[in-house]
Amino acid sequence: MKGALGPLLLSLLLLLEAGGCQEVEVKAAVGETVQLQPKTRPSSWVAINWKVKLHSEHYWILRHDQNGTLTSPFLPFAGRVSFHPGNLSLQINSVTEKESGLYSMDVKLRDGSGITSNFQLFVLVPASSLSYCQAKGLVLLLVLGVLITGTMVVHIVASKQAKRD
């Protein structure tokens, strides 16, 4: 029994790798347009469902079949999402950091089988050199520096005037 466990685990690992359980990582900056496109396009599909897992919640995004595309109006990015039947991709315009998550495309084929493609979207916030508070602090320091320099100049000029008199 112990000897059969190794080949069984190896078979399961190979099955998982070949079975479409892999994820495609997609990285985008806040405000960019993202297009999640599967690597291969099945020729005989009947319906496509896009869904997403944001944090621990699952949401349905859209369904496309012979009747057209039906999108969910309840998502925060519902007005910014579109489907491209030519390449089966999902496009999200002006992504936000909250839209980072696991996106899945389920394809139902004519023979009744299905294919799932997964996309892990990471929406990154561009690093700025200074935060608002840091910039405000630097402006305050600059103003204080100018005031101190002005005060010193006035006192030095006044003391030189007093020595001349």
Side-chain angles (χ1 to χ4, degrees):
M1 183 89 173
K2 189 190 266 187
L5 190 57
L8 177 64
L9 289 175
L10 181 60
S11 299
L12 282 173
L13 181 63
L14 290 173
L15 181 65
L16 285 174
E17 283 187 22
C21 291
Q22 298 176 3
E23 297 174 1
V24 175
E25 280 192 11
V26 179
K27 294 179 183 172
V30 169
E32 288 185 341
T33 295
V34 173
Q35 193 160 3
L36 306 176
Q37 181 176 338
K39 291 180 182 178
T40 58
R41 183 183 184 273
S43 57
S44 60
W45 56 274
V46 176
I48 308 255
N49 283 297
W50 276 95
K51 51 193 175 178
V52 62
K53 180 181 178 190
L54 301 174
H55 310 290
S56 60
E57 299 291 322
H58 293 267
Y59 300 97
W60 169 76
I61 301 172
L62 64 80
R63 176 181 173 82
H64 181 82
D65 57 21
Q66 70 273 7
N67 297 323
T69 304
L70 181 64
T71 59
S72 171
F74 302 112
L75 291 172
F77 54 90
R80 297 179 287 115
V81 68
S82 57
F83 176 71
H84 299 279
N87 59 13
L88 309 181
S89 66
L90 178 74
Q91 180 174 316
I92 306 169
N93 299 319
S94 301
V95 291
T96 66
E97 190 178 10
K98 294 177 185 175
E99 291 152 9
S100 292
L102 181 63
Y103 290 74
S104 298
M105 180 189 77
D106 294 324
V107 180
K108 183 179 178 187
L109 302 174
R110 290 192 200 280
D111 65 4
S113 64
I115 300 172
T116 299
S117 298
N118 294 311
F119 303 85
Q120 183 66 52
L121 176 62
F122 297 97
V123 181
L124 309 171
V125 177
S128 63
S129 55
L130 294 175
S131 72
Y132 174 74
C133 290
Q134 289 171 329
K136 212 171 150 183
L138 285 175
V139 169
L140 181 62
L141 283 174
L142 180 64
V143 169
L144 285 174
V146 169
L147 289 174
I148 290 170
T149 304
T151 303
M152 288 174 56
V153 167
V154 167
H155 284 294
I156 291 171
V157 170
S159 68
K160 283 187 179 182
Q161 284 290 66
K163 287 183 184 178
R164 285 186 192 170
D165 293 337

